[in-house]
Structure formats: structure tokens, C-alpha cells
Amino acid sequence: MADIEESKRKAARRAVKDHFDPSLRFIGIGSGTTIKYVVEAIKEAGDTSRICFIPTGYQSRQEIQRVGLVPIALDALPTGSMIDVAFDGADEVDDELNCVKGGGACLTQEKLVATNAKKFICVADYRKLQPRLLSHWPTIPIEVMPLAVPTVQRALRALGSSNPALREGFVTKAGPIKTDQDFYIIDAPFPRLLTSADVNNGQDGSGKGGQWEVSRLAQQIKQIYGVLEVGLFTGKNGYEVAAAGEVGGGQKPVAAYFGMEDGDVVVRDGKSR
């Protein structure tokens, strides 16, 4: 465990070194176990007195305040402003920088912050770096309306999920885990997800036998009535959105930093296919 924590710390320090600038005005701070090292590295990196930090949920807000940084809500951003950079973790990242997120039940606010940022930087340890999503992480987190849980579960089974399960709290009698939006989380297992390169090379990602290409599955799940958000971060990254002249940011990171078991930090960017 100590080695894993050190790998997270090194990845966070490298990511902050490469992407933090004291002249920035707005920085997004995600959720998860790696983020505490990100905020500590930012605090040590330079003057933060002019910077406002946008959390993706309760836990990240607590981390921001713990080190003496100033949090603001996403809807407090001045009109026309974007987050300069968002740092966040992931439960798993594939060769194309598609991500599974939502293990901490913050996926909706994480996606809101990522898609309102000029660039999203992912920071994680070596266990999260996999060639395809659902190689190691077992399920896709999906945020749903409480009343819609049975309906969404039926629809997920029809898409090929073997046992979409409502995420329960640590104490069973307390009921299901609730998100910051007072919604529930369904964790849906699927076969390992294909990348766009797999499909371009002739594999079928249309859902036959439950085998999906990641972006296509994300779209299918999002269309289910009662689903608020899907824990698949796919499509364009922030640079690609800007180059296309579109509004907002992208779901995918422009770069991902992985602290490795040997003490090195591996960096994957949008060109590292």
C-alpha cells in the first residue's frame, strides 16, 4: 500500500509540475484517493492567492479546504469563463485515454467539471492503466433516479450487462449510496470494451453478445430514461473540442499521468495511441 501511495504522489507532482501555473484563475479538482496529492503539490508549487478551485463533490471540496485553497461552486464561474485546467483521477484508463469514473459516486459533477475545462489532466497509479476498459475495473458506474432503478436495470440487461447492481452503503440498513444529487448508483458489468481502433480493425462493437465499443455503449446507456449520467468519459478531449470550434471542454483527458510500481511516471497524451 505504501508503494501505491508513493506512486500516486509522484504522478500528482509530475502532473502539477507540467500543468499548474500561478497565473491561472480557475482550476478543477476531482475526487478520489490521488487528489489529495494533487492539492498538496499545487499548494507547494507557488502563489495560489488569485486562484479559485472548483470541486467535483463534497470530498474534493474538503481536500481543497484542508490545504488552505479557496473553493467555489461550478455555477459561480463568471459568465463566459472556463476552467483553465481540471485535475482528476480515474478508475481505469485505456489506450485511447477513455476513462471509467464513478467509483466514488461523483461521476456527474466530475463530467461537468471536465467538460467545462480547457483541459482535463488525469492522475492515477499503475493499476489504472489498462489496454481496454473493464480489463481490471469490473463495472460501469451509472447515476440514476431512485424511482428508475428497476427500469434502468432491465434496459442494461438488454444491452448485455449480466448483473447491474444497485450500489449499497457500507451499512446495509442505511440503504443505497446516494450521490450529491440524491440519486443512486448502478454498477453495470460488461465484457471488456473495445476502442475505436479495434472497430477500425474489423471488430464488431455494435453490442452483439454484449460486446461494445466504448463510445457507442456510453451513448446507448445515456439514452435510457432515468439515467442522469454514465461513468464513461469518451469522445473528444479539450484540445480537440477547441480545434473543432465547439463550445466547452472534452470528456477525455488531454494527458494521463500514471505513477508506476518502479517509481517512474508514465505520461500518455492524446497522441500516444
Side-chain angles (χ1 to χ4, degrees):
M1 184 63 70
D3 290 340
I4 292 173
E5 294 306 307
E6 184 59 24
S7 72
K8 295 176 184 178
R9 183 181 290 106
K10 288 182 177 179
R13 289 184 177 277
R14 174 73 181 278
V16 169
K17 178 178 180 292
D18 289 352
H19 295 278
F20 172 76
D21 186 322
S23 68
L24 300 179
R25 288 290 292 117
F26 303 106
I27 295 178
I29 298 295
S31 311
T33 58
T34 308
I35 291 305
K36 67 178 181 179
Y37 301 118
V38 170
V39 295
E40 289 169 358
I42 289 173
K43 183 67 175 179
E44 296 169 3
D47 181 17
T48 59
S49 60
R50 294 182 61 257
I51 305 174
C52 296
F53 294 84
I54 296 88
T56 60
Y58 175 82
Q59 180 236 348
S60 55
R61 183 182 182 88
Q62 296 301 110
E63 287 293 340
I64 292 167
Q65 293 175 317
R66 177 179 64 85
V67 298
L69 303 176
V70 178
I72 67 165
L74 177 62
D75 59 4
L77 279 176
T79 302
S81 295
M82 287 189 69
I83 297 168
D84 295 296
V85 57
F87 296 95
D88 203 352
D91 299 312
E92 201 162 66
V93 184
D94 72 11
D95 283 348
E96 295 183 347
L97 299 192
N98 299 300
C99 301
V100 173
K101 292 170 58 58
C106 297
L107 58 145
T108 297
Q109 293 192 45
E110 288 172 343
K111 194 169 284 190
L112 274 171
V113 168
T115 55
N116 279 278
K118 296 174 184 176
K119 58 181 178 180
F120 159 32
I121 305 299
C122 182
V123 186
D125 65 76
Y126 57 90
R127 299 171 301 171
K128 310 303 175 66
L129 176 58
Q130 300 290 335
R132 302 292 181 271
L133 297 184
L134 304 188
S135 293
H136 179 70
W137 188 262
T139 59
I140 300 168
I142 303 161
E143 187 165 355
V144 303
M145 293 175 58
L147 285 175
V149 167
T151 301
V152 173
Q153 286 176 315
R154 284 196 298 271
L156 289 168
R157 291 188 189 98
L159 291 175
S161 180
S162 57
N163 183 31
L166 182 64
R167 189 182 298 179
E168 299 287 348
F170 294 111
V171 180
T172 304
K173 66 180 180 180
I177 285 178
K178 284 191 174 183
T179 69
D180 287 344
Q181 290 71 241
D182 275 338
F183 277 36
Y184 289 166
I185 297 289
I186 290 175
D187 292 306
F190 279 88
R192 193 170 65 162
L193 301 182
L194 301 179
T195 63
S196 60
D198 293 328
V199 174
N200 291 338
N201 288 330
Q203 296 192 58
D204 187 350
S206 66
K208 293 180 181 178
Q211 183 69 75
W212 290 95
E213 186 271 329
V214 56
S215 295
R216 196 161 178 180
L217 179 58
Q219 293 167 1
Q220 290 291 319
I221 296 174
K222 189 66 185 288
Q223 291 173 4
I224 301 171
Y225 289 111
V227 168
L228 176 62
E229 196 49 80
V230 185
L232 293 173
F233 285 53
T234 185
K236 295 186 177 82
N237 65 37
Y239 293 160
E240 292 165 338
V241 170
E246 298 171 0
V247 176
Q251 294 184 24
K252 283 168 61 172
V254 302
Y257 289 72
F258 300 96
M260 305 306 288
E261 199 167 11
D262 62 3
D264 193 13
V265 175
V266 168
V267 183
R268 297 281 181 90
D269 61 32
K271 298 178 181 179
S272 300
R273 296 287 190 262

